[in-house]
């Protein structure tokens, strides 16, 4: 050893232990001579045999340099002891042998660029930290400190950061970590602030950034996701002023520290992030609720919505609303009671003008139960679909209702057209020919018995075009070729050809009867008709093929039919002779969404 160097590696005086001899019994058994690495104070175990170095003999006496032999001691006891070689390449002592050139090299990126004396000192100090708990005073040095520190330094920087973070979370609380790097204790406090290498110092700072606080000057150039964040850091994170962030935190229900800095852990930060991400502007709220921004402001003033005032530089004064509050208010809209009024109903804007009030006041009265909605227009969003009844604006009916329910022994032309599935024009000619009689009480009504007799005897030929293997347009010449007598055969194309039921059943070869599904449709029609509505809606659940419902206004509505209702359409094809105004209005109401 020359100039404090051993095999070209720099060493300090305190790195050596030469007062007494130390040796490995297994190495002495292999070759009784002294090894230079045994003189290093950090060398505690033999990496070749994984045995501890011996310091004392069987009598408890230390081995002195004055005794010239290595195989036996001064008492005649053999120093060697057989042991199989079991090289520990991951031990601290083996790395020392590598640096001295007495073992094959293994890359250690955090240590290879440091002088050997720094490697020994850094391993000892770092092991002294992680082998003990938190302390403001330096603990007593122990023999295993070098190995403990080397276990963190032998890998990558991420392993060192993980080891330091594990120790920090285990031995300190969050309040102490928030005070800075003094959370590491004696190693970072006062005059004992040890200067580590660049990698170790950076790892300790990143650990503090993740789990505590660090001065801005010390944290410059470092990027790490912190375990806790302060109020100001949250403001920078979401680009919001401090006052706005305080409103958000109080809205979530999180406490704010008084007189000191408030910190928030990872779960709280995640909750704040979700809440801020869910905030929407007043204009978006107005679009969702179908109202004006003034109504939104009124809902915020009344506490129906949580409004978070924001005052940003260059942004003026604005407010944000949680989207969850708006969705909850929309669900409440669907539960509002309605009176069912359909006459003299007006929008919220018109109602507020007539009442000399404001829109948001009317909305608040509806939500509080002071006002009851007349109805809600389907397809409109939120408040835009509300309709309210104004009694003093209601107008009297200009004329009596056009429709009167006939007695049981009579029916109207609409019911007869539906029952027989014959177009009203053809049905009127049937009445002129005397097949169906008018009622004696009212010439607009038909005798029910005569209609039923005609319906049992005759049927429209076009309903059987599929059974005849042709189209509706060609069914008439096909039937004439087959010898089926036609009613109204020579009265022009305006009239639908009608045949006797017996003739068509004989030609088809089976009796035509309506299915249970068709009977259910007919029953529902009769029920709706008896209630005074001449409109009828075909249920869509039994639909496959298109079918036309003809109106008196010459407009048609396309519906669909299924195989299970074919006998019903053969027997009763839908033709409506109701007045267009009543029919269209009722049909639109029955087919509208939510009806």
């Amino acid at each position: 050893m020359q100039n404090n160097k051993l095999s070209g590696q720099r060493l300090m005086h305190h790195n050596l232990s030469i007062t007494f001899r130390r040796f490995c019994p297994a190495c002495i058994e292999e070759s009784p001579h002294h090894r230079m690495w045994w003189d290093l104070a950090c060398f505690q175990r033999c990496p070749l045999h994984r045995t501890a170095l011996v310091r004392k003999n069987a009598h408890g006496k230390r081995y002195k340099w004055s005794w010239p032999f290595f195989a036996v001691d001064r008492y005649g006891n053999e120093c060697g002891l057989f042991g199989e070689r079991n090289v520990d390449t991951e031990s601290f002592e083996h790395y020392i042998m590598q640096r001295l050139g007495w073992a094959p090299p293994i890359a250690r990126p955090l240590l290879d660029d440091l002088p050997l004396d720094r490697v020994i000192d850094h391993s000892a100090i770092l092991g002294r930290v992680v082998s003990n708990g938190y302390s403001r005073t330096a603990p007593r040095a122990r023999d295993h400190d070098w190995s403990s520190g080397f276990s963190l330094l032998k890998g990558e920087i991420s392993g060192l950061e993980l080891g330091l973070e594990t120790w920090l979370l285990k031995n300190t609380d969050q309040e102490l970590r928030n005070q800075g790097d003094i959370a590491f204790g004696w190693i970072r406090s006062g005059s004992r602030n040890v200067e580590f290498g660049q990698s170790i110092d950076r790892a300790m700072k990143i650990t503090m950034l993740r789990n505590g606080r660090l001065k801005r000057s010390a944290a410059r150039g470092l990027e790490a996701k912190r375990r806790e964040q302060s109020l100001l850091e949250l403001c920078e994170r979401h680009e919001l002023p401090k006052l706005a962030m305080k409103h958000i935190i109080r809205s979530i229900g999180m406490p704010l520290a008084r007189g000191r800095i408030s910190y928030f852990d990872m779960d709280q930060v995640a909750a704040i992030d979700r809440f801020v991400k869910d905030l929407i502007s007043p204009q978006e709220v107005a679009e969702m609720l179908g109202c004006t921004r003034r109504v939104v402001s009124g809902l915020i003033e009344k506490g129906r919505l949580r409004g978070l005032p924001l005052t940003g530089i260059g942004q003026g004064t604005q407010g944000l609303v949680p989207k969850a509050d708006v969705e909850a208010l929309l669900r409440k809209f669907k539960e509002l009671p309605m009176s069912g009024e359909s006459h003299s109903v007006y929008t919220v804007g018109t109602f507020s003008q007539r009442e000399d009030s404001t829109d948001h006041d009317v909305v608040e009265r509806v939500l509080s139960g002071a006002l009851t909605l007349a109805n809600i227009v389907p397809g409109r969003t939120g408040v835009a679909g509300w309709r309210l009844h104004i009694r003093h604006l209601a107008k009297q009916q200009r004329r009596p209702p056009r429709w009167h329910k006939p007695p049981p022994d009579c029916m109207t032309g609409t019911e007869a057209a539906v029952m027989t599935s014959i177009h009203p024009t053809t049905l009127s000619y049937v009445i002129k020919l005397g097949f169906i009689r008018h009622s004696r009480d009212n010439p607009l009504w038909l005798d029910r018995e005569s209609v039923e007799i005609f319906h049992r005897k005759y049927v429209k030929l076009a309903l059987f075009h599929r059974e005849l293997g042709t189209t509706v347009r060609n069914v008439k010449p096909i039937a004439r070729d087959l010898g089926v007598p036609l009613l109204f055969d020579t009265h022009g194309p305006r009239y639908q050809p009608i045949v006797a039921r017996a003739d068509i059943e004989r030609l088809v070869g089976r009796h035509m009867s309506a299915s249970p599904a068709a009977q259910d449709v007919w029953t529902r029609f009769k029920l709706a008709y008896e209630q005074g509505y001449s409109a009828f809606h075909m249920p869509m659940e039994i639909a496959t093929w298109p079918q036309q419902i003809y109106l008196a206004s010459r407009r048609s509505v396309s519906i669909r039919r299924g195989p299970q209702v074919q006998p019903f359409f053969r027997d009763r094809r839908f033709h409506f002779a109701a007045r267009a105004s009543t029919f269209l209005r009722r049909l639109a109401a029955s087919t509208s969404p939510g009806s």
Side-chain angles (χ1 to χ4, degrees), residues 234-250:
L234 286 176
C235 294
E236 295 177 359
R237 180 188 183 95
H238 297 289
E239 299 180 354
L240 294 174
K242 187 176 180 180
L243 179 62
M245 185 55 64
K246 284 185 176 181
H247 280 295
I248 291 174
I249 293 173
R250 292 193 182 99

Side-chain angles (χ1 to χ4, degrees), residues 131-341:
S131 298
N132 300 277
Y134 171 80
S135 176
R136 289 187 177 273
T137 59
R140 183 172 58 89
R142 299 180 182 180
D143 293 341
H144 58 76
D145 289 345
W146 289 284
S147 297
S148 300
F150 178 75
S151 64
L152 299 181
L153 295 172
K154 66 182 180 181
E156 301 291 340
I157 186 67
S158 58
L160 175 60
E161 295 172 1
L162 179 60
L164 292 173
E165 184 175 4
T166 302
W167 179 89
L168 194 66
L169 296 177
K170 180 181 178 181
N171 296 279
T172 61
D173 56 14
Q174 190 62 52
E175 185 176 358
L176 179 61
R177 294 193 291 270
N178 289 338
Q179 297 179 15
D181 56 0
I182 63 172
F184 281 104
W186 60 273
I187 198 173
R188 285 293 198 186
S189 61
S191 60
R192 296 183 180 273
N193 196 333
V194 180
E195 291 294 336
F196 284 112
Q198 182 178 2
S199 300
I200 303 175
D201 187 67
R202 181 183 179 87
M204 297 185 75
K205 290 180 178 180
I206 289 179
T207 302
M208 286 306 306
L209 277 177
R210 289 176 179 171
N211 302 277
R213 323 304 316 165
L214 197 65
K215 294 181 180 179
R216 293 183 181 272
S217 58
R220 187 177 295 112
L222 301 177
E223 295 183 1
K225 186 177 181 181
R226 297 186 176 183
R227 186 174 295 273
E228 283 200 344
Q229 294 193 11
S230 65
L231 180 63
L232 292 178
E233 289 171 342
L234 286 176
C235 294
E236 295 177 359
R237 180 188 183 95
H238 297 289
E239 299 180 354
L240 294 174
K242 187 176 180 180
L243 179 62
M245 185 55 64
K246 284 185 176 181
H247 280 295
I248 291 174
I249 293 173
R250 292 193 182 99
S251 299
I252 300 176
M254 295 182 183
L256 285 171
R258 293 186 176 182
R260 55 190 178 90
I261 301 176
S262 299
Y263 295 102
F264 306 91
D265 57 26
M266 297 178 65
D267 295 336
Q268 291 175 324
V269 171
I272 295 173
D273 291 345
R274 290 193 299 268
F275 188 83
V276 173
K277 186 178 180 180
D278 191 55
L279 295 177
I280 57 178
S281 65
Q283 183 61 36
E284 294 174 311
V285 177
E287 293 175 359
M288 291 182 64
L289 296 179
C291 60
T292 61
R293 293 184 59 176
R294 186 66 189 93
V295 174
V296 175
S297 301
L299 292 172
I300 295 175
E301 292 175 2
K302 297 296 183 180
R304 301 287 181 179
L305 297 173
R306 286 181 292 178
L308 305 175
L310 305 179
T311 306
I313 300 176
Q315 297 178 356
T317 301
Q318 58 178 346
L320 297 178
V321 180
K323 189 176 181 180
D325 292 5
V326 182
E327 294 174 347
L329 191 60
L330 285 174
R331 290 193 294 269
K332 186 175 181 180
F333 283 0
K334 296 180 180 180
E335 300 174 357
L336 292 174
M338 292 182 291
S339 63
E341 291 282 352

